[in-house]
Amino acid sequence: GAGVSQSPSNKVTEKGKDVELRCDPISGHTALYWYRQSLGQGLEFLIYFQGNSAPDKSGLPSDRFSAERTGGSVSTLTIQRTQQEDSAVYLCASSPTGASSYEQYFGPGTRLTVT
Amino acid sequence: QQQVKQSPQSLIVQKGGISIINCAYENTAFDYFPWYQQFPGKGPALLIAIRPDVSEKKEGRFTISFNKSAKQFSLHIMDSQPGDSATYFCAASPGVNTGNQFYFGTGTSLTVIP
């Protein structure tokens, strides 16, 4: 079946502009994660959605970052007033429920470049 | 603070050799330790994972060794192949009952020379 998809694959924006990144998780997966991957760095946790529970926003680096998940499926990560340090690859992952809920399936990422 | 420390940052191995990547953690609440493989332009893909109730898990040419007392775990790639050239990440999670958040190492770039 289809995996996790993300759009756009690449985004170039000017400093100060707002951007929206989209994630379509695997159908039926209740958990959804957003990560940021900077060059030469590991994956930095941003936010986690699980079913209808309140999201875990503890990883969001500033109030310029926000995310929502509509209908328990598609998620949008919004970065307002982008800064050059926001340039990175933004990865989305989803997980199923039950005993396999540890397994994360990643999308290909959105490469964001802020000029 | 880096919850999971990974080394080396890069590794070059001859074809047929053994690649070894190490990770260390501090939080004893972690109970799931996966390894991910990432090729350029792709998202990470789960390679192999272990729970702390076993000391070793093997899947094909990939083995995780886990040392609970030392709070360390490592990935061994036997008979390394050029197709194994990728970036490898270790991770740790305290589990679904505590938010299921994952903490990743900084990655190891593996190059297997033909």
Side-chain angles (χ1 to χ4, degrees):
Chain A
V4 177
S5 60
Q6 293 186 243
S7 60
S9 55
N10 281 283
K11 177 72 176 179
V12 180
T13 190
E14 292 180 353
K15 177 181 174 181
K17 301 280 189 179
D18 297 352
V19 295
E20 286 189 352
L21 313 179
R22 177 186 169 105
C23 172
D24 283 87
I26 293 172
S27 178
H29 282 194
T30 60
L32 186 148
Y33 303 77
W34 281 99
Y35 294 92
R36 178 168 68 178
Q37 184 175 27
S38 301
L39 187 63
Q41 299 296 313
L43 280 68
E44 176 189 4
F45 167 78
L46 296 178
I47 189 169
Y48 162 61
F49 297 89
Q50 173 59 277
N52 295 321
S53 302
D56 176 356
K57 304 179 181 180
S58 60
L60 295 178
S62 77
D63 58 9
R64 295 187 296 104
F65 288 72
S66 63
E68 62 177 22
R69 189 178 184 192
T70 55
S73 181
V74 173
S75 178
T76 302
L77 177 68
T78 302
I79 308 174
Q80 296 178 309
R81 305 181 302 281
T82 52
Q83 303 295 311
Q84 289 187 330
E85 60 263 29
D86 299 334
S87 296
V89 174
Y90 289 82
L91 291 161
C92 173
S94 69
S95 288
T97 55
S100 298
S101 61
Y102 283 107
E103 296 182 19
Q104 296 187 77
Y105 298 81
F106 283 84
T110 293
R111 180 174 298 278
L112 174 66
T113 304
V114 182
T115 61
Chain B
Q1 181 184 3
Q2 192 72 29
Q3 294 264 4
V4 178
K5 296 181 180 179
Q6 183 173 346
S7 63
Q9 185 175 6
S10 63
L11 182 61
I12 300 175
V13 174
Q14 293 278 353
K15 177 182 176 181
I18 302 173
S19 304
I20 302 174
I21 305 170
N22 302 297
C23 283
Y25 64 97
E26 287 297 325
N27 189 343
T28 55
F30 290 149
D31 74 344
Y32 178 70
F33 302 88
W35 285 90
Y36 287 83
Q37 180 187 56
Q38 185 178 30
F39 293 104
K42 305 290 186 182
L46 179 65
L47 190 61
I48 187 173
I50 198 168
R51 297 284 182 93
D53 53 345
V54 296
S55 60
E56 185 175 282
K57 183 174 181 179
K58 183 176 181 179
E59 290 184 2
R61 296 184 294 109
F62 301 92
T63 299
I64 299 180
S65 295
F66 186 83
N67 186 328
K68 188 174 182 178
S69 60
K71 291 185 283 187
Q72 295 176 347
F73 58 110
S74 60
L75 176 69
H76 297 236
I77 305 174
M78 312 300 286
D79 187 26
S80 299
Q81 299 297 312
D84 297 330
S85 297
T87 300
Y88 293 81
F89 293 95
C90 62
S93 173
V96 294
N97 294 326
T98 50
N100 213 20
Q101 186 174 137
F102 284 75
Y103 299 88
F104 285 80
T106 51
T108 296
S109 177
L110 172 65
T111 302
V112 181
I113 300 172

